[in-house]
């Protein structure tokens, strides 16, 4: 499958990794929108949040456990934002489910 994040998960395209286990990978975003900006992805190809089901939601729960662990490791005690862009109007540009973690500055709300 011609999927950028599947290739990153497989190590075929390099990334600046923060965390990896058999199910999940976290790596820094190539075009950061905040002083700290990384992505957490399931290694399994899930196209978007629309495709989360009872069959794969345990994996998504694990993604959130990993986010909390990384936030503690990176000492993001002032807080952070978890973002998922889903579909065209959500602004999704890579069709492999990923969660953005943005931190290191005060973030505005609501997003544009
Ligand atoms: P989205 O627009 O929500 O689909 O997010 C895709 C994100 O992937 C963007 O923030 C991009 O900067 C990021 N991105 C694209 N290619 C790479 C790459 N090779 N390594 C790391 N991040 C990437
Ligand atoms: Zn993929």
């Amino acid at each position: 499958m011609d999927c950028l994040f599947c290739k990153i998960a497989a190590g075929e395209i390099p990334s600046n990794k923060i965390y990896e286990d058999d199910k999940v990978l976290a790596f820094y975003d190539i075009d950061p929108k905040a002083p700290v900006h990384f992505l957490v992805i399931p290694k399994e190809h899930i196209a978007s949040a629309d495709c989360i089901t009872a069959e794969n939601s345990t994996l998504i729960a694990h993604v959130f456990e990993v986010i909390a662990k990384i936030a503690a490791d990176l000492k993001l005690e002032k807080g952070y934002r978890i973002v998922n862009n889903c579909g065209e109007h959500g602004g999704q540009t890579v069709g492999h489910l990923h969660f953005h973690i943005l931190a290191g500055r005060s973030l505005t709300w609501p997003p544009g």
Side-chain angles (χ1 to χ4, degrees), residues 11-111:
E12 292 164 17
I13 291 176
S15 66
N16 190 358
K17 285 181 201 174
I18 304 172
Y19 173 92
E20 182 170 20
D21 63 29
D22 56 333
K23 296 184 178 65
V24 166
L25 177 67
F27 54 99
Y28 284 103
D29 196 290
I30 204 166
D31 181 18
K33 306 296 191 296
V36 178
H37 183 181
F38 60 90
L39 304 173
V40 184
I41 67 168
K43 289 187 170 178
E44 175 188 326
H45 182 84
I46 298 171
S48 78
D50 274 341
C51 302
I52 298 172
T53 65
E55 280 66 49
N56 62 26
S57 59
T58 303
L59 175 55
I60 306 310
H62 182 57
V63 166
F64 277 79
E65 290 171 22
V66 166
I67 291 170
K69 177 187 163 25
I70 296 170
D73 288 350
L74 296 183
K75 301 189 181 357
L76 304 180
E77 60 268 316
K78 288 190 105 174
Y80 53 92
R81 185 168 295 165
I82 303 170
V83 172
N84 171 255
N85 297 326
C86 180
E88 184 186 349
H89 280 191
Q92 183 175 4
T93 61
V94 177
H96 181 128
L97 180 65
H98 53 282
F99 296 90
H100 298 253
I101 288 75
L102 300 145
R105 65 173 170 84
S106 188
L107 298 158
T108 56
W109 187 261

